[in-house]
Amino acid sequence: MSGHDPSALPGGVFRVHWVPGTDRLLGVCYCGAEQDFEDPVDLWNWLLAHPDAPASTEEGRMART
């Protein structure tokens, strides 16, 4: 079977959650940082760039806009 192995990604797992009742998506970095977005492209750009400066879980939480 061919394909990309997600466990081979450096760092950990990124998660994307739909925020019920809204048009927003919540991105969660493996370091614990969270931020919500309307645009999925912006969300993935943030997630893929974020681990360059990982923070602790408490420090990584970003204010929701």
Side-chain angles (χ1 to χ4, degrees):
M1 187 163 100
S2 66
H4 181 70
D5 178 11
S7 65
L9 290 173
V13 175
F14 298 116
R15 298 191 189 281
V16 177
H17 303 278
W18 168 61
V19 180
T22 71
D23 290 336
R24 302 194 63 85
L25 298 170
L26 177 67
V28 182
C29 181
Y30 60 83
C31 75
E34 297 179 350
Q35 189 165 355
D36 65 342
F37 296 88
E38 274 188 34
D39 185 349
V41 173
D42 291 340
L43 178 140
W44 281 105
N45 285 337
W46 177 79
L47 279 176
L48 294 173
H50 187 264
D52 289 340
S56 71
T57 303
E58 189 171 322
E59 292 172 341
R61 290 192 172 275
M62 302 188 85
R64 294 185 184 182
T65 56

